[in-house]
Amino acid sequence: MNMTKELLRYFRHKQKDHASETLFDTQCPFCSVQCAMQLVEERVVGRNCYKVIPKDNPTSNGRLCIKGLHAHQHALHTERLQFPLLKRNGRFVRVSWEEALSFIQINFKNIQKEFGNDAIGVYGGGSLTNEEAYLLGKFARVALKTKYIDYNGRYCMSAAAAAMNATFGLDRGLTNKLSEIPHARCIILAGTNVAECQPTIMPYFHQAKKNGTFFIVIDPRETATCGLADLHIKIKPGTDVAFVNGMLKVIFAEGYVDEQFVKERTEGYDELKKHIEQIQLDEMAEMTGIAPEVIQFAARQYATAPTGMIFTARGVEQQTNGYMTVRNFLNLALVTGKIGKIGCGCGAITGQGNGQGGREHGQKADQLPGYRSIENPEHRKYIASVWRVPEEELPRKGVSAYEMIQKIDEGEIKGLFVMGSNPVVSSPNARFVKRALKKLQCLVVVDLFLSETAELADLVLPTSSYLEDEGTMTNLEGRVTWRPASRKRPGEVKHDWEILCEIARVLGKGDYFRFSSAEEIFHELRVASRGGLADYYGITYERLRNERVYWPCPSPDHPGTARLFEQSFAYPDGKARLAVVDNEYQKEQTTEQYPIYVTTGRVLSHYLSGTQTRRSPALASRQIEAFMEIHPNTAKKYKIENNALVKLETKRGYAIVRSKYSYKIREDTVFVPFHWSGFQNINQITDDELDPYCKMPGFKRCAARIIPVVDLERN
């Protein structure tokens, strides 16, 4: 009888709890696919329980990966910052927002009064919404009047963005819809591990495989994506330019050039042809480590296919010649006429959630909203009119993200405002970055957690998560998406855009930042982008609540532009630019002292610097530490046991990780993921040489030596 009463009481209690079930519609905060989902929060037996339900959308068609399914765990984590923290006597103490804002007002004004407006730098993030990315750019140039603003997207797509701008006159992640992938009869995946980095779009590639598509995968490792490969090019890191030049040699020599397309729609063909005629295929084979007949086979497969697409990612872009490497892949598409048609196009598979939108509207050092140039007089005049400031008061272009760190080290930048980024972990030569940031007179960080960068700050401000912060994002296709967010913010947390408006107010610029919602900011963004290359004017929240719209979209009745370059390219003459790309080795080569190449990348369960995913128990438990993937033959040579701790050392520093034997990697190369901090942070050893065109650091190749930790302990 007592048991029956207890059961009845339990079920009544459970029914009461279920009546309080709450649903939150949102999007995954991680990669550039921006999958839609719904978080269900309910009370069960006196405690909150959560489950995630995928929602249909035209990009991922209702799919979610393991990261999306567990994203809420970091947003609900007990380590979430809930109040402003000010460092006093080396320790953080809770302060009010009034105290925090007063601290910024006093310190930023004092620094600028003594050293000038440019003594304050702004460092943004590729996960900010379009509204917040736009407002951050405006904040830097109107509220602070500084030229120094850039963002961590510089480390993501800058090589591809610069290459597409130079080639086509316009940069968008993909030139075609993802749904066109199954129509391509040959697909090149260069330096991209889609299966682990953007797994929810893999079905497009699987469908292409079923349709008979020939896949060429270029990667020094045999990744999960290589399961698609009909031809895996296990290339020597950093030699992709030479491989493509070899393919072009075959295409020119064997008559596979689309002469009509090249004549009507490109410039620079004669110069490229003359350059390719001087190239020797055997030399390309020696440089890349790929046999001449394999280069020939790859070239013929791509060139003779009726349709084809090329996708690049960080593997080829995060190189000190990444810009020219991407330009050469674009040469490949242009000389064969494989662009601007269904199943024919190219693109860079963006890593960050809003890496695309983040750079379109003002976070990059040289850009104004709508992909306008900050050095173009007409562009400056237009944006100044939208912002209601004199054109001459707009700063000129600044420098790239890593160059800002160098400016800090040199003493030119005295204060730094960081929003949505963790440069201490994500930057190359991370020990130098940490030392430089310690030199600042004032460091203010806005974040969800006390990240490795926030730990160095003088003031940390708590911001809202994806569950709480409404806004728009632009995915890898160039689709603008609306992210609803209705969950209550914890503690005294504010949205990024609210924080910017509040700081602008205490700096005396509040009249330029009178916004009460993300939608109000988006309306101004639409006007600011109007007539620019990235034209969002025809996109409204009302539309986005019902559809996802491709930019450019110049008017409310415009359907959006799903496929670019069907009739012409974005240059005034409508023609794309072919480029001569030399076979230049990167500066850092292996030596007797540093005989092994190190390359870096992601694993499925983690994201970027790991600030969020390492706080998700379900994700952190899947990969609890960093590792070094090494070929057993190489391990034998350097006396490395499997699952042993090893020290990887370059001239910049060292990292300690655990070895992992793999026959799927070249014998001259080891691979380490970059999601961990402390002594496991592989970016403590990565190359900080910058691409001369786009200022991308050389993350993906550095020369190192391997020392077993047991040898260190013995000594």
Side-chain angles (χ1 to χ4, degrees):
M1 183 66 180
N2 287 339
M3 180 63 72
T4 302
K5 286 181 178 179
E6 286 297 316
L7 286 170
L8 286 171
R9 188 179 296 115
Y10 166 77
F11 284 117
R12 287 194 193 103
H13 179 67
K14 189 171 182 181
Q15 286 173 349
K16 182 179 179 181
D17 282 346
H18 274 292
S20 64
E21 180 180 87
T22 309
L23 307 178
F24 302 100
D25 290 326
T26 187
Q27 289 178 188
C28 178
F30 295 128
C31 86
S32 58
V33 180
Q34 287 299 292
C35 301
M37 58 189 185
Q38 188 176 70
L39 177 67
V40 182
E41 181 177 358
E42 58 184 357
R43 294 282 295 178
V44 177
V45 196
R47 60 189 291 257
N48 288 344
C49 293
Y50 303 90
K51 64 180 177 181
V52 174
I53 301 172
K55 290 188 66 179
D56 193 27
N57 68 82
T59 300
S60 58
N61 297 314
R63 294 181 287 269
L64 280 179
C65 79
I66 193 69
K67 287 192 288 292
L69 286 169
H70 298 289
H72 62 281
Q73 291 183 343
H74 81 259
L76 305 175
H77 200 280
T78 56
E79 291 181 11
R80 272 285 301 273
L81 298 177
Q82 298 191 30
F83 313 98
L85 298 175
L86 182 64
K87 190 172 285 180
R88 289 177 178 159
N89 300 319
R91 299 183 65 181
F92 284 113
V93 296
R94 176 180 171 180
V95 295
S96 68
W97 274 100
E98 289 75 14
E99 289 175 279
L101 292 168
S102 177
F103 176 87
I104 295 173
Q105 178 192 38
I106 293 169
N107 282 272
F108 279 15
K109 283 196 170 185
N110 286 344
I111 288 172
Q112 290 188 316
K113 183 178 180 180
E114 183 175 357
F115 301 104
N117 291 340
D118 295 333
I120 302 291
V122 175
Y123 196 111
S127 296
L128 302 182
T129 64
N130 286 319
E131 293 82 357
E132 288 156 348
Y134 166 80
L135 207 62
L136 188 63
K138 182 179 178 181
F139 171 79
R141 285 144 182 153
V142 175
L144 294 174
K145 294 186 177 181
T146 180
K147 67 180 179 180
Y148 288 130
I149 175 173
D150 211 66
Y151 81 128
N152 62 15
R154 178 71 65 172
Y155 300 155
C156 178
M157 277 188 67
S158 61
M164 292 183 78
N165 271 323
T167 303
F168 304 139
L170 172 68
D171 154 47
R172 194 177 78 181
L174 304 183
T175 62
N176 303 57
K177 298 185 293 184
L178 285 166
S179 59
E180 292 188 20
I181 288 172
H183 297 285
R185 288 296 164 262
C186 182
I187 292 177
I188 297 176
L189 297 172
T192 177
N193 184 8
V194 184
E196 291 194 75
C197 299
Q198 289 86 12
T200 58
I201 66 171
M202 278 297 284
Y204 292 113
F205 295 102
H206 289 145
Q207 185 58 53
K209 189 74 175 175
K210 290 180 181 178
N211 292 349
T213 298
F214 189 90
F215 277 87
I216 301 170
V217 179
I218 306 172
D219 200 306
R221 302 169 61 220
E222 186 179 334
T223 67
T225 305
C226 290
L228 294 168
D230 297 282
L231 178 62
H232 177 202
I233 307 297
K234 196 175 282 189
I235 198 166
K236 183 186 296 183
T239 63
D240 303 87
V241 162
F243 180 77
V244 178
N245 273 336
M247 290 183 69
L248 289 169
K249 178 71 175 181
V250 176
I251 288 169
F252 276 77
E254 299 185 6
Y256 295 128
V257 173
D258 186 331
E259 300 281 357
Q260 183 177 353
F261 183 91
V262 167
K263 180 180 179 181
E264 295 177 356
R265 299 195 58 186
T266 71
E267 291 284 349
Y269 174 69
D270 291 339
E271 293 84 351
L272 178 59
K273 183 178 180 181
K274 183 178 179 180
H275 169 66
I276 295 300
E277 285 173 349
Q278 298 171 0
I279 283 175
Q280 302 301 315
L281 191 60
D282 287 345
E283 291 180 7
M284 302 304 99
E286 184 177 353
M287 290 177 69
T288 61
I290 306 300
E293 55 270 22
V294 174
I295 299 175
Q296 289 174 325
F297 183 57
R300 291 165 185 159
Q301 288 294 323
Y302 177 75
T304 60
T307 54
M309 301 181 82
I310 300 174
F311 298 93
T312 63
R314 307 306 82 75
V316 298
E317 297 162 17
Q318 285 183 328
Q319 309 271 5
T320 56
N321 63 349
Y323 164 82
M324 293 307 292
T325 299
V326 178
R327 288 214 70 177
N328 224 19
F329 276 108
L330 300 182
N331 281 340
L332 200 59
L334 289 170
V335 299
T336 57
K338 289 184 171 62
I339 194 162
K341 299 175 285 189
I342 188 169
C344 288
C346 53
I349 300 183
T350 319
Q352 299 188 85
N354 201 30
Q356 181 71 46
R359 69 179 180 277
E360 292 167 2
H361 301 299
Q363 283 195 94
K364 275 186 73 178
D366 59 347
Q367 284 183 198
L368 291 171
Y371 241 129
R372 290 181 165 89
S373 169
I374 200 165
E375 294 296 313
N376 183 298
E378 291 301 314
H379 294 181
R380 292 172 59 85
K381 183 179 179 180
Y382 178 76
I383 295 301
S385 70
V386 175
W387 288 350
R388 298 178 291 110
V389 298
E391 182 271 330
E392 60 271 17
E393 289 188 7
L394 285 179
R396 294 287 173 172
K397 70 177 180 180
V399 297
S400 70
Y402 192 76
E403 289 173 310
M404 283 176 58
I405 304 297
Q406 293 173 326
K407 294 286 185 185
I408 294 169
D409 183 63
E410 294 161 3
E412 186 171 337
I413 295 176
K414 303 290 186 179
L416 187 67
F417 182 80
V418 179
M419 177 170 272
S421 190
N422 189 12
V424 166
V425 176
S426 62
S427 300
N429 196 3
R431 278 192 171 87
F432 165 76
V433 173
K434 190 172 183 178
R435 289 196 304 269
L437 294 184
K438 288 181 177 180
K439 294 182 177 182
L440 288 164
Q441 289 187 19
C442 182
L443 173 59
V444 178
V445 174
V446 182
D447 210 323
L448 293 168
F449 300 101
L450 200 63
S451 69
E452 289 78 6
T453 301
E455 288 175 353
L456 303 178
D458 300 287
L459 176 68
V460 184
L461 302 177
T463 189
S464 53
S465 76
Y466 76 103
L467 291 173
E468 304 135 15
D469 187 23
E470 179 188 26
T472 64
M473 312 284 276
T474 304
N475 78 356
L476 77 168
E477 297 176 286
R479 287 188 200 249
V480 183
T481 71
W482 170 63
R483 184 181 74 191
S486 57
R487 197 172 193 278
K488 183 180 178 181
R489 288 170 281 175
E492 296 178 5
V493 164
K494 292 182 183 290
H495 300 311
D496 288 327
W497 64 264
E498 289 178 319
I499 293 170
L500 293 172
C501 291
E502 288 291 310
I503 298 174
R505 176 180 59 80
V506 300
L507 293 177
K509 298 293 183 179
D511 286 346
Y512 302 96
F513 295 84
R514 293 189 179 278
F515 300 104
S516 59
S517 69
E519 187 170 2
E520 280 187 22
I521 302 169
F522 189 75
H523 178 70
E524 185 175 293
L525 180 158
R526 291 174 56 232
V527 176
S529 74
R530 189 175 191 179
L533 290 171
D535 193 334
Y536 280 38
Y537 183 70
I539 306 173
T540 65
Y541 265 44
E542 184 178 358
R543 284 187 72 175
L544 292 176
R545 290 186 178 103
N546 298 299
E547 60 178 323
R548 297 182 170 205
V549 186
Y550 292 95
W551 70 262
C553 182
S555 63
D557 59 352
H558 192 282
T561 310
R563 187 184 307 120
L564 298 174
F565 315 133
E566 290 182 301
Q567 302 299 324
S568 66
F569 295 96
Y571 278 107
D573 62 5
K575 294 186 176 183
R577 273 46 174 173
L578 294 164
V580 171
V581 182
D582 293 323
N583 300 305
E584 292 184 0
Y585 277 115
Q586 296 184 58
K587 289 182 181 178
E588 183 148 305
Q589 300 292 321
T590 53
T591 62
E592 185 175 343
Q593 185 179 10
Y594 300 111
I596 292 292
Y597 287 119
V598 177
T599 191
T600 67
R602 296 188 186 187
V603 294
L604 176 62
S605 56
H606 284 289
Y607 179 72
L608 300 185
S609 69
T611 303
Q612 296 170 8
T613 52
R614 284 187 276 120
R615 288 176 170 86
S616 167
L619 298 176
S621 63
R622 288 172 173 266
Q623 188 68 59
I624 62 173
E625 62 182 0
F627 60 88
M628 177 189 71
E629 191 172 280
I630 184 171
H631 195 284
N633 292 345
T634 309
K636 182 178 180 181
K637 181 178 179 180
Y638 296 104
K639 300 178 181 179
I640 305 297
E641 298 292 333
N642 195 23
N643 294 318
L645 290 178
V646 297
K647 180 181 181 183
L648 270 170
E649 187 174 50
T650 68
K651 57 187 178 183
R652 289 162 294 276
Y654 69 90
I656 296 176
V657 295
R658 194 172 299 280
S659 65
K660 180 180 178 181
Y661 283 5
S662 174
Y663 287 97
K664 298 180 178 180
I665 192 166
R666 289 175 58 95
E667 292 187 23
D668 60 358
T669 304
V670 297
F671 166 84
V672 182
F674 51 64
H675 311 292
W676 285 268
S677 63
F679 61 82
Q680 296 185 85
N681 181 6
I682 196 61
N683 279 329
Q684 292 178 126
I685 76 169
T686 47
D687 190 2
D688 60 358
E689 182 190 350
L690 304 179
D691 184 301
Y693 297 95
C694 65
K695 308 302 180 181
M696 171 74 83
F699 288 103
K700 286 296 185 284
R701 169 173 145 155
C702 63
R705 62 184 174 197
I706 311 171
I707 306 169
V709 169
V710 66
D711 288 354
L712 295 173
E713 292 172 345
R714 286 170 183 162
N715 294 330

